[in-house]
């Protein structure tokens, strides 16, 4: 009462002084403040008058009772949480197989795949429900990522059952949706122990571990490319969500085990996952990130899009509150892995994971169901990097009457593609001896010689000339094609020439006296001729603009590689090992520089 009346007395004194001084404008400013203060004093007096007079012990008893009533909801919640955990600890729940299928199919593995096929036929592509465990009332725990997520954050200390939980979730997803409606990308940064079995699933389009960081980078780049591809599909269809498309792409679920390890090893690639979390909902892409410690590991932008929080046993109450809004996850018994809480806006809900009784058999049954349904294997989202030894494969294709010769596999940073050399324009092979230029020319010559055989279909409309160095001179041999030359004077459909030259740097010298030098200069100026030659350095080309395509074999010396035409940014990504791998080169064509691994052959020289 004294604290409230003191300001009123002070303001009254100020008003008496203002009246005495005749400052009426200041009086108008002080009157509202004095009125408010007097009103607060009056309200306090009325409240004091209404309270019954009680002795101090009774008043203390009343305050204790009020405090007890306020604490009772918390106490009741803690008791309920403990009862739920006790019930789940004593009830392990049925195995995953019996929850997934009807009428006890888990006991007869011969019928399990039939139940999986039935579940696929009844599935809807717009949702992804998964039966993962049981609740305290023994009802099944069903998580539907598109509805409950769209993204999830899973936390738990070592030994809490995170890996088993993720494996159970992936198996439940694979059983509920066919491979053409749901795909999995598995990023295991715990050495591959958790997802090794899941890599066999027909739904899996990529599985990487922290033991191969190059492949992990390709996976993250592949996710970014898939995100952009789906954005183009949605824009082309004129809809806002892939679920509204008539033929939507398969839902893609990205599962990351030990997210904190990924963040530490590949911090420069986290923006790919941030984009997925912020844009993936409408594009049919979902993210499940699992970590031991969520605080400080997941950035705010990614965390804002993760509506589903799953917390198994943790020791830090702050971590439990960060995911669940409650410290209930710290009360989980360490001797009961698989116990946890789920929160997606309705408060923490206790559950227990129900893993598969025989995961190996279940995966086999899923594979069998996929074969029965004749599901095409989904296209891989990314591939392994270029191998050091690539066996020859691929067939010759024809385009506009010219053959496309397969020479190796090229790497665009995410996927490997078969590279076919087009015999249109001139091609230069640049690199020091021993890097694989002669092997590539031998491969090209062998492929073209098969086309020059009598009776080959289609018949080539060009002649083949092969030139190679013998000691200090050059030896050439011509292979005329089976099609006769057109009459003199006809233009546009005359016979062409494919000329393969090894060690051609001397023939390109303007001072060269060899008769082939003038013929080479004439061939480089003709439109119907395709010259494929090999030189040691880029400076030997003299006029590099005449070569629309260059295959550069890096030598490992930065200055020489830059002079050969390799872009600086591409050169920075090449490993030191690349310059020591025979047949490893970069294709410089159309403003791009793409790594290529030439097919391995026993032939080392061009021996026609």
């Amino acid at each position: 009462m004294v604290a409230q009346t003191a300001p009123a007395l002070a303001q009254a004194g100020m008003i008496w002084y203002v009246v005495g001084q005749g400052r009426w404008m200041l009086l108008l400013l002080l009157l509202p403040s004095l009125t408010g203060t007097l009103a607060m004093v009056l309200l306090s007096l009325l409240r004091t008058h209404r309270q019954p007079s009680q002795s101090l012990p009774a008043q203390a008893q009343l305050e204790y009772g009020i405090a007890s009533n306020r604490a009772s909801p918390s106490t009741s919640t803690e008791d309920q949480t403990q009862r739920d955990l006790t019930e789940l600890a004593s009830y392990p729940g049925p195995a995953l197989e019996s929850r997934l299928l009807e009428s006890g199919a888990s006991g007869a593995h011969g019928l399990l795949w039939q139940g999986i096929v039935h579940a696929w036929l009844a599935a809807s592509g717009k949702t992804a429900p998964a039966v993962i465990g049981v609740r305290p009332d023994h009802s099944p725990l069903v998580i539907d990522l598109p509805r409950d997520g769209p993204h999830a954050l899973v936390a738990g200390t070592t030994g809490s059952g995170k890996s088993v939980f993720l494996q159970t979730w992936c198996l439940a997803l694979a059983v509920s949706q066919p491979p053409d409606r749901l795909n999995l990308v598995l990023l295991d940064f715990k050495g591959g122990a958790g997802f090794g079995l899941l890599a066999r699933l027909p739904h899996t389009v990529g599985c990487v571990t922290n033991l191969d960081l190059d492949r992990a980078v390709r996976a993250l780049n592949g996710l970014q490319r898939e995100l952009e591809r789906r954005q183009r599909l949605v824009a082309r269809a004129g809809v806002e969500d892939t679920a509204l498309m008539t033929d939507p792409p398969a839902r893609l679920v990205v599962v990351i085990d030990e997210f904190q390890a990924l963040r530490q090893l590949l911090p420069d690639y986290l923006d790919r996952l941030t984009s997925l979390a912020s844009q993936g909902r409408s594009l049919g892409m979902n993210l499940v990130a699992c970590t031991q410690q969520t605080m400080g590991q997941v950035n705010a932008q990614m965390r804002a899009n993760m509506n589903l929080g799953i917390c198994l046993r943790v020791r830090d109450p702050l971590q439990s509150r960060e995911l669940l809004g409650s410290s209930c996850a710290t009360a989980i018994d360490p001797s009961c892995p698989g116990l946890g809480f789920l929160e997606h806006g309705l408060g923490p809900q206790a559950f227990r994971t129900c893993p598969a009784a025989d995961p190996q058999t279940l995966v086999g049954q899923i594979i069998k169901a996929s074969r029965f349904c004749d599901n095409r294997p989904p296209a891989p989202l990314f591939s392994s990097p270029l191998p050091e030894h690539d066996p020859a494969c691929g067939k010759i294709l024809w385009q506009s009457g010219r053959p496309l010769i397969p020479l190796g596999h090229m790497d665009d940073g995410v996927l490997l593609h078969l590279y076919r050399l087009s015999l249109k324009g001139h091609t230069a092979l640049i690199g020091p001896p021993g890097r694989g230029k002669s092997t590539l020319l031998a491969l090209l010559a062998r492929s073209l010689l098969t086309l020059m055989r009598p009776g080959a279909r289609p018949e080539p409309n060009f002649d083949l000339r092969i030139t190679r160095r013998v000691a200090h001179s050059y030896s050439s041999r011509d292979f005329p094609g089976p099609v006769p030359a057109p009459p003199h004077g006809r233009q546009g459909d005359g016979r062409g020439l494919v000329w393969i030259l090894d060690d051609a740097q001397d023939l390109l010298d303007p001072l060269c006296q060899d008769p082939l030098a003038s013929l080479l200069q004439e061939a480089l100026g003709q439109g119907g001729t395709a010259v494929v030659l090999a030189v040691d350095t880029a400076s030997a080309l003299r006029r590099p603009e005449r070569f629309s395509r260059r295959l550069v074999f890096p030598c490992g010396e930065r200055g020489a590689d830059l002079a050969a035409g390799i872009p600086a940014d591409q050169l920075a990504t090449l490993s030191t090992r690349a310059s020591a791998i025979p047949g490893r080169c970069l294709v410089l064509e159309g403003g791009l520089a793409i790594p290529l691994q030439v097919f391995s052959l026993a032939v080392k020289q061009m021996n026609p």
Side-chain angles (χ1 to χ4, degrees), residues 27-28 58 104 138 151 155 157 186 203 253 257 268 297 316 368 396 406-407 412 447 459 496 521 579 585 593 606:
L27 177 64
L28 294 177
H138 299 181
H151 311 297
T157 187
L186 309 174
H203 304 70
V253 180
D257 197 2
D268 297 335
Q297 301 296 331
D316 189 356
K368 186 174 182 180
I396 300 175
L407 294 181
D412 63 2
S447 300
E459 295 180 341
Q521 296 298 329
S579 59
C585 63
M606 293 188 303

Side-chain angles (χ1 to χ4, degrees), residues 59 96 132 286 295 308 384 408 418 460 499 528:
Q59 182 69 21
L96 177 63
I132 299 176
N286 305 102
M295 300 181 64
L308 180 59
S384 299
L418 186 63
W499 193 351

